[in-house]
Amino acid sequence: MNVHSIQHSVQSQLFASLAAYLQDLQESGVDGIPPEMTLAAGAEAPLQRPAPTERNPVETVAADLPNTPEKHETLEQIRKDLGACQRCKLGATRKNLVFGTGNPQARLVFVGEGPGADEDAQGEPFVGDAGKMLNRIIAAMGLKREDVYICNVVKCRPPKNRPPESDEVSACFPFLLRQLLSIKPEVIVALGSSATQALLQTKVPISKVRGKFHDFHGMPLMPTYHPSYLLRTGGNSDSFWSVWDDMTQVLQLLRLPVPEKSRKK
Ligand code: URA
């Protein structure tokens, strides 16, 4: 291949991914990206959801979710339903069931794989080393942990931190779905392979699906690398910048500014 054909092929790939991205945005109800990505002075706190109105497209999409009899239930009701869950074998070995934490009205939800030792001990998701990395990502987005909601595909720690098995994911998934339908976020971020594969019902590797929005029950879902993977690959690695590119798209879809200090130099 000569230089021109390589350039041409790179250009075609760029156009194809741009077209797919724009189509995904359009399908998820976005009809334009504002030219200025900064909030007007005096605007509301970035992740405060506006009161539902007839003209609020996000509420309209959520109200139209198909066959969702649970759509008005609260997170407390779902937690109560779980009780002292023993629906799968993880129930026997956990210390604490890790339901999820954060703003029940969050516009943005992060879904991880499952609790590790720290989370199992404290009953809260992402409080160990991976949690510190997730906190850095959230802060780099100009957000606070309490603005968003954080949960996992499975609510109980898999022994030795192995990935959850398919029977465990199947037992827990209905509760995760109910949590997501209750919160109705404007964007879901799936952290890593387990979350992405469970939510998108796919076996395709994360590297192939990250970087563009997918549909999850009418909610745009962005798969990205897991914070633990970033810890393994280093703070300034390609994977780190890939996550940052993905989070930039998330901020744009939420019409939130990309903080100047976090921009790639
Ligand atoms: N990794 C996860 O996927 N979830 C947690 O809660 C902690 C680590």
Side-chain angles (χ1 to χ4, degrees):
M1 244 198 227
N2 63 28
V3 175
H4 288 301
S5 52
I6 291 171
Q7 269 177 346
H8 185 257
S9 140
V10 169
Q11 267 176 0
S12 315
Q13 280 170 16
L14 280 174
F15 277 119
S17 54
L18 181 62
Y21 171 54
L22 290 173
Q23 189 176 356
D24 270 6
L25 282 181
Q26 199 173 33
E27 280 166 8
S28 52
V30 174
D31 55 11
I33 301 277
E36 76 299 304
M37 295 306 297
T38 53
L39 281 179
E44 280 185 285
L47 280 193
Q48 281 316 305
R49 206 199 307 248
T53 66
E54 268 185 39
R55 296 175 55 215
N56 180 337
V58 175
E59 293 298 326
T60 312
V61 170
D64 290 345
L65 285 173
N67 302 323
T68 53
E70 310 92 349
K71 70 187 170 203
H72 297 303
E73 68 184 345
T74 63
L75 293 174
E76 289 76 35
Q77 285 166 328
I78 301 164
R79 177 64 191 89
K80 206 162 148 225
D81 253 13
L82 266 164
C85 184
Q86 293 293 335
R87 291 170 180 81
C88 82
K89 55 191 179 298
L90 298 180
T93 51
R94 68 153 187 260
K95 289 199 183 85
N96 283 295
L97 185 153
V98 181
F99 180 68
T101 188
N103 182 353
Q105 308 244 301
R107 296 176 65 201
L108 174 58
V109 172
F110 290 92
V111 181
E113 176 177 282
D118 294 310
E119 292 77 19
D120 185 40
Q122 296 182 42
E124 193 173 323
F126 283 98
V127 288
D129 288 341
K132 289 191 186 106
M133 177 58 87
L134 179 60
N135 290 346
R136 278 181 56 196
I137 295 169
I138 293 171
M141 295 172 82
L143 304 174
K144 297 199 209 71
R145 198 173 147 109
E146 54 274 23
D147 292 329
V148 303
Y149 192 82
I150 304 172
C151 54
N152 283 303
V153 166
V154 293
K155 294 175 171 30
C156 299
R157 182 189 180 197
K160 299 187 184 152
N161 296 344
R162 62 156 170 76
E165 292 171 355
S166 61
D167 57 320
E168 297 156 359
V169 173
S170 304
C172 225
F173 193 81
F175 294 93
L176 174 61
L177 176 61
R178 286 167 63 186
Q179 282 171 287
L180 294 171
L181 292 175
S182 167
I183 300 168
K184 292 177 277 185
E186 289 168 56
V187 181
I188 298 167
V189 172
L191 297 166
S193 300
S194 292
T196 300
Q197 296 186 348
L199 289 162
L200 295 182
Q201 305 269 290
T202 179
K203 291 262 178 271
V204 178
I206 177 85
S207 56
K208 296 270 184 291
V209 289
R210 61 145 287 273
K212 66 186 226 95
F213 287 103
H214 301 258
D215 177 73
F216 181 78
H217 292 260
M219 297 173 266
L221 181 147
M222 172 63 80
T224 198
Y225 294 122
H226 194 282
S228 304
Y229 179 66
L230 299 188
L231 287 173
R232 292 198 296 275
T233 53
N236 204 22
S237 57
D238 286 352
S239 44
F240 180 85
W241 287 112
S242 301
V243 170
W244 186 241
D245 284 345
D246 302 343
M247 295 309 102
T248 303
Q249 290 190 54
V250 166
L251 287 171
Q252 288 172 346
L253 192 57
L254 291 169
R255 297 172 188 245
L256 293 174
V258 179
E260 187 62 42
K261 66 176 169 45
S262 309
R263 287 175 203 251
K264 192 173 181 178
K265 303 286 182 293

